[in-house]
Amino acid sequence: MVLKRRAAAFAAAAVLALTPVVAGCSDDGGSASDQGTPTVPPVPEATDQPGDPAAAKAEITRNWTAFFDPKTPTAEKVKLLENGEAMAPVLGAFAGDKNARQTSVKVKQVDFTSPTGADVTYDLLVAGNTALPDAKGTSVLQNDTWKVSVQTLCGLVQVSGATVPGC
C-alpha cells in the first residue's frame, strides 16, 4: 500500500512540477497564396527540435530504459543522468532501495521542447507492473548524450520520501 501511496504522490507531483508548458505561435494575419496551392501545416522551426528527431527519440528511449533498468550498473547510470558525476550520491541512495531495484520504465512518447530538451511520457513499472501510468519527465542533451534530467530524478526522490543531498 505504501507503494500505491507513493505512486499517487508521484502522480500529483508530476502533474504539478513536471508537466511541460507548451507555447505555440500562429500567424493569422498573412495572405493566402494566389496560386491556389493547398495550405500545408507549418513545419516546426529548427529551434523546436534536434537536427535528427528520430535518432534523438531513439536515443532518449534507449537511455531512459537503461537508466531505470535495475541491472544497469551505477557507473553507467552516472553517464545517463544530467550532471551525473555530481548526482552520484543520489544514485547511490537509490541503488540500496528495494523498490528502486524493482523499478523500470517504458517510454511512451517524446516531445521536443528545444534542440537540447524534451518532455518524456513514460510508465513507471515496479516488478514489471505499471505503478504509475503516463508519468511526465524531461530529458536534456548534455555532452552529445540525451540524459534523464536531474529534475526528473529529484522528483522521484522527493516522492519516495527520502532526503538525499543534491535534490
Side-chain angles (χ1 to χ4, degrees):
M1 291 304 141
V2 171
L3 180 59
K4 285 186 179 182
R5 279 188 257 134
R6 285 183 181 167
F10 179 72
V15 169
L16 295 174
L18 303 177
T19 301
V21 176
V22 179
C25 297
S26 66
D27 181 11
D28 294 332
S31 62
S33 170
D34 292 335
Q35 298 176 351
T37 56
T39 303
V40 178
V43 176
E45 293 183 30
T47 59
D48 292 345
Q49 58 187 353
D52 188 347
K57 283 182 182 185
E59 182 180 347
I60 289 168
T61 300
R62 186 173 52 251
N63 290 352
W64 272 60
T65 301
F67 180 81
F68 286 101
D69 185 338
K71 296 175 187 167
T72 301
T74 301
E76 184 64 25
K77 290 182 181 196
V78 165
K79 297 175 187 175
L80 300 174
L81 178 64
E82 176 187 22
N83 303 327
E85 291 294 329
M87 297 300 293
V90 176
L91 292 175
F94 263 127
D97 183 78
K98 176 186 158 192
N99 288 328
R101 288 192 306 261
Q102 297 178 354
T103 302
S104 60
V105 300
K106 178 182 177 187
V107 175
K108 297 173 75 175
Q109 186 172 335
V110 176
D111 296 306
F112 293 103
T113 58
S114 73
T116 60
D119 293 326
V120 180
T121 302
Y122 61 98
D123 287 343
L124 185 69
L125 309 171
V126 177
N129 298 310
T130 302
L132 186 61
D134 298 323
K136 305 287 185 190
T138 56
S139 188
V140 296
L141 183 63
Q142 185 179 56
N143 300 325
D144 296 322
T145 300
W146 283 98
K147 300 180 180 190
V148 174
S149 71
V150 168
Q151 177 187 13
T152 299
L153 181 63
C154 286
L156 290 170
V157 167
Q158 185 177 25
V159 168
S160 75
T163 303
V164 180
C167 280

